[in-house]
Amino acid sequence: MSEKQSPYKDTLLLPQTAFPMRANLTGNEPLRLESWERDDLYHRIQEKRRSENAPPFILHDGPPFANGDVHMGTALNKILKDFVVKSRSMAGFRAPFIPGWDCHGLPIEFKVAQQARDLEPVEIRQRCTDFAAKFIDVQRASFRRLGVLGDWEKPYLTMDPAYEANVIRVFAKLVAHGCVYQSEKPVQWSYGAHTALAEAEVEYREKTSPAIFVAFAIERGAPAALGEHAAQAAIPIWTTTPWTLPANLGLAVHPEIVYQLTRFQHPDTDTTQLLILARDLVAKFTESTGWTPRETLAECPGADLASTHTRHPFINRTSPVITARFVTTEDGTGIVHIAPGHGADDYVAGREHNLGLLSPVDDDGRFTEECGLPDLVGTHVFDANPKIIDLLRENGTLLGHQEYTHSYPHCWRSKTPVIFRAVEQFFISLDTLRNQALEAIAHTTWLPAWGKNRIHDTVEARPDWCISRQRTWGVPLPVFFTPDGAPILDESLVLKVADLIEKEGSNIWFASSDAELATRLGLPEGTRKGRDTLDVWIDSGCSHAAVLDSHPDLHAPCDLYLEATDQHRGWFQSSLMLSIAQRGGPPYKTVMTHGFVVDQDRRKLSKSEAEKAGKPIDAAHFYNKYGADIVRLWASSIDWQREVPFGEDLFKQVTEPYRRLRNTLRILLGNLHDFTPDSDHVLHNNRLTPDSLPPLDKWMLSRLHQVTRECRAAYDSYDFRRVFTTLNQFCATDLSAIYIDATKDCLYCDAADSSRRRAAQTVIHDAFSTLTRLLAPILAFTADEAWEHAPFTSGCVHEQDFPEPDLAFANPATLNLFRRLFKVRDAVQTAIESQIQEKSFSRNNEAAVEVTLPQPDEDLAAILNDRAFATEFFIIAEMRTTTGNSLAATATKTTLPLCPRCRAFHPLLESGLCLRCDEAIAAQATGKSPA
């Protein structure tokens, strides 16, 4: 509508609101956050739900490491959790959120050690405590700034003495079950950090390794099935770790794979050699080495090779052939070189066949004298690879050599390649826990559903859990040793340690001497304390006992664990195993996992890689530049089940739907400036009934009912993307482009209290109230800002309940009628645009339209012939209908005069105004409104 209607401009009821179009999120959000914290909003919500006796919904926060700024992956995780907590709260649940931090472990100790060397354990621990406390404050500020509500003043910290004591009490349960034992086994060893690593502390990167084929000559026991020539043959193996050959104690074949005795020709000479390898790998062997098969002499199953003994290629000992079912024909030769001190499968096979154990490598990854090669002693294992290859080449046992690029485990902190090395460690036996864990997995809900198979397969195949770490910053492994070195694994003793640590903190273990601790705990003279700490995955994995069982507002099992997909082998699994030991069941009912954040090229970036590429990865960059609500809207727009791309362009794209949603709220507020629900809501004051509402209002409330139902269902299933899509499309199309556009005329030009205007305001009020509450979990700041600007609301939007779908407007007939009307609308608009292009007239509301309906449709014809509805819905001057062969519309310029006040075409009265405007002016003069 133009503003050329002077002197009538001041008689129009134009929108009025202080809610600004320009959001200025980066300036206004911190002020709103201060208000929430000043008013203690989180606890106010909790008290409200408690007073209502609301049922609890517990999302247990998996603790992030307190070792750096909040990156976008951590931000996404906390925002998704906040979506869940806020939506469950607004759905009528008491949904407390107790955030936590994982404080111990290698990442922090490694950084502290880089800053100062040769510190005493207590000093290291104090510096680690200070380091963790610093980044807890940094991360807490970021999470708050992102709009995440929680008990931020009382988080759980794994370095708190009470928490540490509960970790040790869970350990006591494991001891009581007979699950803890000491053994020398191969573990993943970080020579960069000088400690054993759990699988979850390993990251996989590409590494290029030497892949070699090595001949082990048969010394005795060649199978008769291969004939007399077998005694002159050799058995070739393939390995990508030449450095493990000094520790070779045997060769493994599969008992059912068929092996051939074949004469091969050297790739560069006429000489030949007899080799025994898997029949299915002869072609691959030739392709990789150049050795050409000239004659197949015999074949036999692997079981027949089991009595064979071979000669080690460069050490004076034999390597017997054993059978093992992990041998495959995917790569190599079908024969695996067995070094029991350097691999999990090798260790198991070695124990089964009494091969012994040899691991001639020290903590730094260097060879010891046990390697049997004086020239290699003190050499790092990876530096030894070329020397070993040269030795094999010189003695004629090297059959082939290639460079092989593969995914290889690396230490997550030192970034050095991991080596498998046999070390005396403590383990948790999973034999007594595994079956219960697998049963619990089957009865837990996994989102996405494929998570069940992933964690099932991981738990089913997982070896015993190495729980000891050769570090200082952690919960002490509460094991003592007798004077002769035997470990003391006693439940009552462990519980005494737990009580001591709860009173005095875990530093007491490191600050006290062996004799002091022995005296305090009533142990015999000469008893020694252990020097190791517990795997940090035990720390976080005990949170169900230390937090869920201990906090008055929480319980176990809780309703939901929500973390990134890597936690199937991390926190989800450690929590499950320890909960089985502690309570005999899982700590959770549902587990939800989201994908990793990646850049727009779908590459996962570490912080260092992001800095090199000039791509910010810290959450602070994005909320300081765009605002937390833009970050939250991005989080709602993604498919959390897959990898999640982020970047500057994506955040710029998200600002467009944000502006649309904000503008919609502003338009709704602007048209409610003179609306008081108690007196003006036409359904509440019985001025109109649902059936007597104007058709357009009835349709809009029916759509609002649909949207509410869809969004409530989407929140219940954690489908935040569907909430975003549903609300965005509804605001852009149904509400703004259709309803608001059509009702502007009555909202601005009708008498203030006319039934038509109050009916439209009733719809707008309900739409505003519904939208702000449905948007609140996502646009936490903006929804509350809009709620505050409404003249009829009180409190904070986050204290409210979600809207309920209004069954009075579950009206399929209305929705079906309007589906037909929209087809007519498309035809009408096409006809009008054609005439505007031909310059017959310039605006929609100048059009007189004739619609041809293809078949009798009484309902459709009746509503189209209702002038008040047709001129409002189509924003035209006149309409009439006819019937014909197909739906069609024609448009001409109306002959009706223009009303100077409303700028619409109507018959005019003597006053020069249309009847509606004449009555509105009169009502303003008398203070009485027409019906």
Side-chain angles (χ1 to χ4, degrees):
M1 179 178 296
S2 168
E3 294 188 358
K4 297 179 181 179
Q5 59 271 70
S6 182
Y8 300 107
K9 177 184 176 184
D10 292 340
T11 71
L12 300 176
L13 299 169
L14 298 175
Q16 299 175 34
T17 180
F19 183 69
M21 184 61 242
R22 185 175 177 80
N24 187 23
L25 294 177
T26 57
N28 289 332
E29 286 174 341
L31 300 178
R32 185 157 300 276
L33 182 58
E34 286 179 14
S35 171
W36 290 348
E37 295 182 351
R38 185 170 58 249
D39 295 341
D40 198 13
L41 176 60
Y42 169 77
H43 287 105
R44 210 165 70 194
I45 292 170
Q46 297 308 308
E47 285 305 314
K48 177 177 184 288
R49 294 304 181 199
R50 191 176 284 107
S51 69
E52 297 167 349
N53 201 25
F57 180 93
I58 309 300
L59 183 156
H60 182 37
D61 186 34
F65 276 117
N67 69 328
D69 297 330
V70 174
H71 62 75
M72 284 304 298
T74 311
L76 172 65
N77 177 258
K78 274 296 191 291
I79 291 171
L80 289 175
K81 289 174 180 174
D82 195 53
F83 288 170
V84 172
V85 171
K86 282 189 169 77
S87 62
R88 291 291 81 202
S89 176
M90 296 185 75
F93 290 87
R94 179 176 59 81
F97 183 67
I98 311 301
W101 274 274
D102 206 348
C103 308
H104 293 133
L106 185 57
I108 293 173
E109 185 174 350
F110 195 78
K111 289 185 178 180
V112 166
Q114 286 179 322
Q115 296 167 4
R117 303 284 181 181
D118 302 322
L119 297 174
E120 290 298 318
V122 173
E123 177 62 22
I124 291 174
R125 289 176 61 82
Q126 184 56 54
R127 293 194 184 197
C128 288
T129 300
D130 295 343
F131 186 98
K134 169 188 171 183
F135 280 104
I136 287 168
D137 288 342
V138 168
Q139 293 184 12
R140 174 166 36 204
S142 278
F143 294 143
R144 281 174 150 165
R145 178 64 186 84
L146 285 165
V148 179
L149 292 181
D151 196 352
W152 293 110
E153 297 308 316
K154 294 180 180 178
Y156 76 87
L157 309 177
T158 62
M159 64 182 179
D160 282 347
Y163 190 105
E164 293 175 321
N166 277 312
V167 171
I168 292 178
R169 290 184 183 114
V170 173
F171 183 81
K173 281 272 190 180
L174 291 163
V175 170
H177 292 319
C179 295
V180 181
Y181 67 93
Q182 186 184 35
S183 179
E184 186 178 8
K185 283 187 180 182
V187 296
Q188 298 186 100
W189 182 267
S190 170
Y191 58 81
H194 283 194
T195 188
L197 300 175
E199 178 61 28
E201 296 171 313
V202 167
E203 57 187 23
Y204 284 82
R205 299 179 170 196
E206 279 202 346
K207 180 179 183 296
T208 299
S209 302
I212 60 173
F213 293 84
V214 181
F216 281 66
I218 290 179
E219 191 168 83
R220 67 178 186 274
L226 294 183
E228 60 182 353
H229 296 291
Q232 287 80 50
I235 298 179
I237 61 92
W238 177 77
T239 182
T240 59
T241 54
W243 64 268
T244 61
L245 285 170
N248 171 272
L249 296 177
L251 306 180
V253 296
H254 193 287
E256 295 164 11
I257 290 175
V258 175
Y259 293 83
Q260 284 185 348
L261 172 62
T262 304
R263 189 180 302 279
F264 286 86
Q265 183 176 327
H266 192 282
D268 300 320
T269 69
D270 292 335
T271 59
T272 62
Q273 184 162 357
L274 290 170
L275 299 175
I276 301 170
L277 66 158
R279 180 176 62 191
D280 293 344
L281 286 170
V282 169
K284 270 192 176 182
F285 174 76
T286 297
E287 182 183 347
S288 299
T289 64
W291 285 84
T292 307
R294 293 304 182 199
E295 181 183 9
T296 299
L297 300 177
E299 60 183 37
C300 70
D304 288 356
L305 290 166
S307 60
T308 306
H309 284 69
T310 66
R311 188 167 54 253
H312 191 286
F314 52 76
I315 293 176
N316 186 24
R317 64 170 176 259
T318 60
S319 294
V321 178
I322 63 173
T323 58
R325 293 194 171 272
F326 60 77
V327 178
T328 71
T329 55
E330 289 182 10
D331 290 299
T333 64
I335 301 102
V336 175
H337 123 69
I338 300 296
H342 294 297
D345 287 338
D346 300 43
Y347 174 80
V348 172
R351 284 196 66 179
E352 183 180 345
H353 294 276
N354 298 313
L355 297 183
L357 187 69
L358 176 61
S359 183
V361 179
D362 65 15
D363 290 357
D364 292 316
R366 299 179 182 279
F367 277 117
T368 65
E369 291 182 356
E370 286 184 294
C371 74
L373 297 169
D375 289 347
L376 291 185
V377 175
T379 303
H380 193 279
V381 292
F382 291 126
D383 294 333
N385 279 333
K387 297 179 181 180
I388 291 172
I389 293 170
D390 287 343
L391 180 60
L392 295 168
R393 185 179 289 109
E394 290 168 7
N395 68 22
T397 56
L398 182 69
L399 300 176
H401 175 202
Q402 295 174 313
E403 293 302 301
Y404 180 71
T405 300
H406 56 144
S407 178
Y408 191 86
H410 286 67
C411 172
W412 66 339
R413 187 48 48 194
S414 66
K415 308 304 180 187
T416 51
V418 166
I419 59 175
F420 287 84
R421 168 179 177 244
V423 186
E424 192 94 278
Q425 300 284 353
F426 282 90
F427 296 84
I428 294 175
S429 169
L430 301 186
D431 291 344
T432 59
L433 305 177
R434 194 186 315 274
N435 287 339
Q436 282 181 275
L438 292 174
E439 185 178 348
I441 289 167
H443 292 94
T444 298
T445 300
W446 299 89
L447 303 173
W450 50 256
K452 177 183 287 188
N453 288 337
R454 174 175 287 186
I455 193 167
H456 180 280
D457 293 348
T458 305
V459 168
E460 188 175 47
R462 178 174 181 167
D464 285 354
W465 183 356
C466 176
I467 58 169
S468 47
R469 296 292 179 271
Q470 291 65 54
R471 306 307 306 171
T472 300
W473 179 231
V475 176
L477 196 158
V479 173
F480 288 86
F481 295 87
T482 64
D484 60 1
I488 303 172
L489 291 167
D490 177 79
E491 179 190 14
S492 61
L493 175 57
V494 176
L495 290 174
K496 287 181 182 179
V497 174
D499 293 342
L500 181 63
I501 283 176
E502 186 163 25
K503 290 176 185 175
E504 302 189 34
S506 58
N507 273 357
I508 191 71
W509 184 273
F510 299 89
S512 302
S513 67
D514 292 344
E516 287 169 339
L517 276 179
T519 299
R520 295 193 65 173
L521 296 170
L523 294 171
E525 186 177 344
T527 303
R528 294 184 296 105
K529 65 179 178 180
R531 298 294 188 265
D532 292 344
T533 55
L534 284 165
D535 176 13
V536 290
W537 289 103
I538 288 186
D539 285 26
S540 57
C542 287
S543 62
H544 57 86
V547 182
L548 293 178
D549 287 343
S550 302
H551 195 286
D553 290 337
L554 307 180
H555 62 248
C558 71
D559 294 282
L560 183 66
Y561 273 33
L562 194 172
E563 303 298 332
T565 187
D566 60 335
Q567 295 308 316
H568 287 110
R569 67 188 182 103
W571 190 52
F572 300 153
Q573 190 181 156
S574 63
S575 298
L576 174 61
M577 290 300 187
L578 295 170
S579 182
I580 294 293
Q582 171 77 4
R583 75 188 73 253
Y588 38 62
K589 298 174 185 175
T590 298
V591 175
M592 173 177 162
T593 56
H594 60 83
F596 293 117
V597 294
V598 293
D599 68 10
Q600 290 174 242
D601 298 321
R602 299 279 174 177
R603 291 177 302 183
K604 186 182 176 185
L605 290 179
S606 67
K607 187 171 182 179
S608 59
E609 290 169 336
E611 289 173 352
K612 287 178 185 176
K615 295 180 178 180
I617 196 171
D618 288 343
H621 167 84
F622 293 98
Y623 63 65
N624 285 332
K625 183 172 182 178
Y626 298 101
D629 267 0
I630 297 298
V631 180
R632 295 176 70 94
L633 194 61
W634 161 79
S636 76
S637 71
I638 54 91
D639 181 358
W640 51 257
Q641 300 187 55
R642 304 177 184 278
E643 286 187 335
V644 180
F646 79 100
E648 297 285 354
D649 291 344
L650 291 175
F651 281 95
K652 289 174 184 175
Q653 290 172 22
V654 170
T655 59
E656 184 55 38
Y658 173 81
R659 279 195 292 267
R660 182 184 302 118
L661 291 167
R662 185 180 182 90
N663 191 45
T664 300
L665 294 173
R666 186 169 183 270
I667 291 169
L668 296 177
L669 280 170
N671 285 296
L672 294 171
H673 62 91
D674 62 343
F675 182 80
T676 303
D678 289 345
S679 58
D680 298 332
H681 197 290
V682 297
L683 297 177
H684 294 172
N685 62 20
N686 297 318
R687 191 166 173 177
L688 293 174
T689 65
D691 288 339
S692 63
L693 278 172
L696 187 58
D697 298 340
K698 194 184 297 184
W699 168 76
M700 176 47 53
L701 290 177
S702 294
R703 282 292 295 123
L704 199 60
H705 158 79
Q706 279 188 321
V707 165
T708 301
R709 187 179 59 197
E710 289 171 15
C711 288
R712 289 291 302 271
Y715 274 125
D716 286 347
S717 60
Y718 313 123
D719 191 352
F720 310 116
R721 189 182 196 183
R722 182 151 61 99
V723 177
F724 164 78
T725 302
T726 299
L727 293 177
N728 185 40
Q729 291 177 348
F730 174 70
C731 288
T733 305
D734 295 355
L735 192 54
S736 297
I738 297 173
Y739 186 79
I740 295 294
D741 208 31
T743 55
K744 280 179 183 176
D745 180 66
C746 79
L747 289 166
Y748 298 175
C749 302
D750 273 19
D753 197 41
S754 76
S755 292
R756 178 70 200 96
R757 183 169 184 272
R758 290 306 190 200
Q761 285 184 304
T762 293
V763 173
I764 288 172
H765 166 273
D766 289 3
F768 174 81
S769 177
T770 296
L771 283 175
T772 47
R773 286 180 289 160
L774 290 176
L775 281 168
I778 295 172
L779 295 182
F781 293 96
T782 302
D784 191 44
E785 180 190 3
W787 185 263
E788 186 181 82
H789 275 83
F792 44 79
T793 59
S794 61
C796 172
V797 73
H798 300 298
E799 296 176 278
Q800 312 307 313
D801 290 340
F802 271 147
E804 296 291 338
D806 191 340
L807 297 178
F809 295 99
N811 196 328
T814 296
L815 295 171
N816 184 42
L817 174 62
F818 269 79
R819 274 191 288 271
R820 281 136 54 207
L821 278 168
F822 287 127
K823 292 180 181 179
V824 175
R825 187 172 180 264
D826 291 341
V828 167
Q829 197 59 39
T830 299
I832 289 173
E833 288 173 359
S834 173
Q835 291 303 303
I836 289 175
Q837 288 177 0
E838 293 182 11
K839 302 192 184 304
S840 300
F841 48 84
S842 59
R843 295 189 303 166
N844 264 45
N845 73 338
E846 297 178 71
V849 176
E850 180 175 287
V851 172
T852 301
L853 299 176
Q855 57 190 18
D857 187 332
E858 292 182 7
D859 292 341
L860 188 59
I863 199 169
L864 291 174
N865 288 321
D866 178 345
R867 185 175 189 275
F869 172 81
T871 55
E872 178 181 67
F873 181 68
F874 296 102
I875 315 177
I876 58 174
E878 302 173 80
M879 173 171 282
R880 71 187 187 91
T881 62
T882 62
T883 56
N885 293 327
S886 59
L887 177 63
T890 59
T892 59
K893 184 173 183 178
T894 183
T895 58
L896 292 173
L898 177 72
C899 175
R901 179 175 179 269
C902 66
R903 310 298 292 174
F905 293 85
H906 297 287
L908 302 183
L909 304 180
E910 290 183 5
S911 63
L913 301 176
C914 67
L915 176 61
R916 185 266 306 270
C917 286
D918 189 73
E919 290 178 341
I921 293 291
Q924 289 178 9
T926 62
K928 295 181 179 179
S929 181

